[in-house]
Amino acid sequence: MAETLSDFSLGKKIQPKGMIQKVGIVGCGTVGQEITRVVSEYGIDVIFIDINDERVEEIKHEIAAKLDNIISNWGMTPGDKRSILSRIQGSSNFQDLHDCDVVIEAIHSSRRGTSLETRKEVFKQIEAVVSTDTIIASNTATLMISDLATILKHPERAIGMHFMQPFDKTEIIEVVKAIFTSEESFKQAEKFATMIGRKVIKLNESPGNVSTRMMVTVINEACDILMEGVASIKDIDEAMRQASGYHFGPFEMADRIGLDKVLKYMENLYAEFGDNKYKASPLIKRLVRANHTGRMSGKGFYNYIEGNPVSQSISFTEFN
């Protein structure tokens, strides 16, 4: 039977809803925890889903520890912390997403490749339990939302919502409207962004968001400068912070994101475009092979103690 536009749900509309009251997060690693915390800070209930009950409890403690760190730096009060945590629930059961207005997939796969099939399966599991007007979003940096949406019965609800680091200083969200995404879905995503104090950067679909494509090329160029012996890691970072106004230099940013993630972004973009500017520096590959993936592992371009950089891990004299 010939396919029609209605088969792809292009003519369907999601009815506008009221204020967003509950948000689901699937995958609560570093990024998922930050999204969870930010959403809850703005008075919205959050439920996060992760692999098992033991990991769920660990995540709760990690979020609480992050809030304690903010309190120690006079960023909030103990009362604020109690209010935030009271709005956060955790579960290993997708069924607990049933009453969410928006669900955001924020998984991180350590496997090589695009994780497309894994994310599609997550989308499928989300749709099986939520209402027909729930927005299903992905925080993906380099995948096409249209590819993810093909698994859905209602692909018009799928949208990209890329939260950018550092979360406490970056007040924008890249919202990606795919070929299937309805205008009603985009407006709902825009409303959600406004409710959590973020400005929407509207993107037409591409294999790689604006921030990701720009970021990886800067990191690659910084690696080339380091390997040529032009300047040290610390000085390259300092130069970029002062000259560009970036919150972090390229090596600092790479360590914060995780070099394994940076490598995956580059591999995905290189596979899509075939452009050498996206071909990962051998220095990044070397560090990832050694499991020196950045701040979370304790070692990347810098060495870390309790999440704080204490020294450079690589001297530019190594290459001369």
Side-chain angles (χ1 to χ4, degrees), residues 294-309:
R295 190 173 63 162
M296 293 300 293
S297 71
K299 189 168 185 176
F301 286 108
Y302 292 92
N303 297 310
Y304 295 84
I305 295 178
E306 295 183 353
N308 298 310

Side-chain angles (χ1 to χ4, degrees), residues 37 41 67 70-78 80-81 84:
R37 179 177 62 82
E41 281 182 5
L67 295 175
I70 296 173
I71 291 171
S72 68
N73 287 284
W74 304 97
M76 66 173 60
T77 68
D80 293 331
K81 173 188 172 182
I84 290 168

Side-chain angles (χ1 to χ4, degrees), residues 43-56:
I44 302 172
D45 290 336
V46 186
I47 179 159
F48 67 83
I49 304 295
D50 218 283
I51 54 175
N52 55 48
D53 292 340
E54 181 180 2
R55 178 58 186 148
V56 166

